[in-house]
Amino acid sequence: CSRTRITYIMKKLIPFFLLVIVIFACKKEEDNNIIWEKSLGQGNAFFIGSSQDSGILSCGVLSGKPYLVKFTKEKSIETDYTSDRVGLFSSAWSDQSGYIAAGSSSGKMLLAHIGNDGNKVWDTTITASFYLDITSLIDKGSGNFLAVGSASPDSSNNVDTEILFVKFNKAGQITMK
């Protein structure tokens, strides 16, 4: 009878001890896999990439406005730009002369050139026949770019969407639409 009672108690205690072990194994005070983290405020990063000098280039939306930031390889802010427009930047490119960013503003394609000092060199919007949500940049070389804008930021959705292609140069001249 006592052997049956011990077996019964063990069957009840084993799940309890396993649960305690799992809880303590999963409870970590720190995550050793995080190399670095930084918050810039209320917004979203839509693009994160490396720059030519091993820094980090990121863009997105911050407080409802298109935003671009360049971190040095030591992770300090080197360039910080917030547009005066409403919208977002969803793609960016950089070289020694500055940054090209692309995104959307009020349903239009937004293209911008930002200097290394964080000041706008130029920006422009291009109206499509549809409400544009997101734009990607393709570097065509020799200071030429192809901007590809889409009505749907998630192309995995099974919905009708349209695409706008715009070729332009670093000076902001539209060379083909």
Side-chain angles (χ1 to χ4, degrees):
C1 181
S2 69
R3 187 171 208 191
T4 306
R5 185 166 172 80
I6 292 172
T7 305
Y8 175 78
I9 292 171
M10 291 301 288
K11 284 182 181 179
K12 294 291 184 182
L13 288 177
I14 288 176
F16 173 75
F17 284 124
L18 288 175
L19 181 61
V20 170
I21 290 170
V22 168
I23 289 171
F24 280 106
C26 292
K27 186 179 178 183
K28 286 185 169 183
E29 293 299 320
E30 62 183 63
D31 187 346
N32 293 330
N33 295 324
I34 295 176
I35 297 171
W36 175 73
E37 63 182 291
K38 175 81 173 169
S39 175
L40 300 172
Q42 187 69 30
N44 289 310
F46 289 100
F47 172 86
I48 301 170
S50 61
S51 59
Q52 292 177 338
D53 62 356
S54 300
I56 299 169
L57 181 62
S58 180
C59 65
V61 59
L62 190 63
S63 300
K65 303 215 178 236
Y67 186 74
L68 179 132
V69 64
K70 160 68 168 58
F71 296 98
T72 64
K73 63 182 175 182
E74 291 80 26
K75 305 197 185 43
S76 61
I77 293 177
E78 180 176 283
T79 304
D80 186 4
Y81 173 77
T82 303
S83 175
D84 55 351
R85 299 177 184 267
V86 172
L88 61 89
F89 286 137
S90 52
S91 186
W93 174 89
S94 69
D95 71 0
Q96 297 83 0
S97 68
Y99 311 92
I100 301 292
S104 66
S105 178
S106 302
K108 300 174 184 177
M109 179 182 282
L110 173 61
L111 304 174
H113 182 186
I114 299 133
N116 282 326
D117 59 0
N119 291 315
K120 175 176 66 176
V121 176
W122 58 260
D123 74 356
T124 189
T125 57
I126 299 162
T127 304
S129 62
F130 56 92
Y131 191 93
L132 194 132
D133 279 329
I134 199 163
T135 303
S136 295
L137 280 176
I138 300 169
D139 177 13
K140 300 294 288 174
S142 303
N144 293 299
F145 299 89
L146 180 63
V148 182
S150 172
S152 175
D154 184 0
S155 61
S156 67
N157 286 335
N158 217 2
V159 296
D160 289 340
T161 189
E162 297 183 60
I163 298 175
L164 173 66
F165 294 88
V166 175
K167 188 175 178 186
F168 68 100
N169 62 26
K170 277 172 99 174
Q173 298 168 321
I174 306 299
T175 56
M176 184 175 67
K177 186 173 173 185

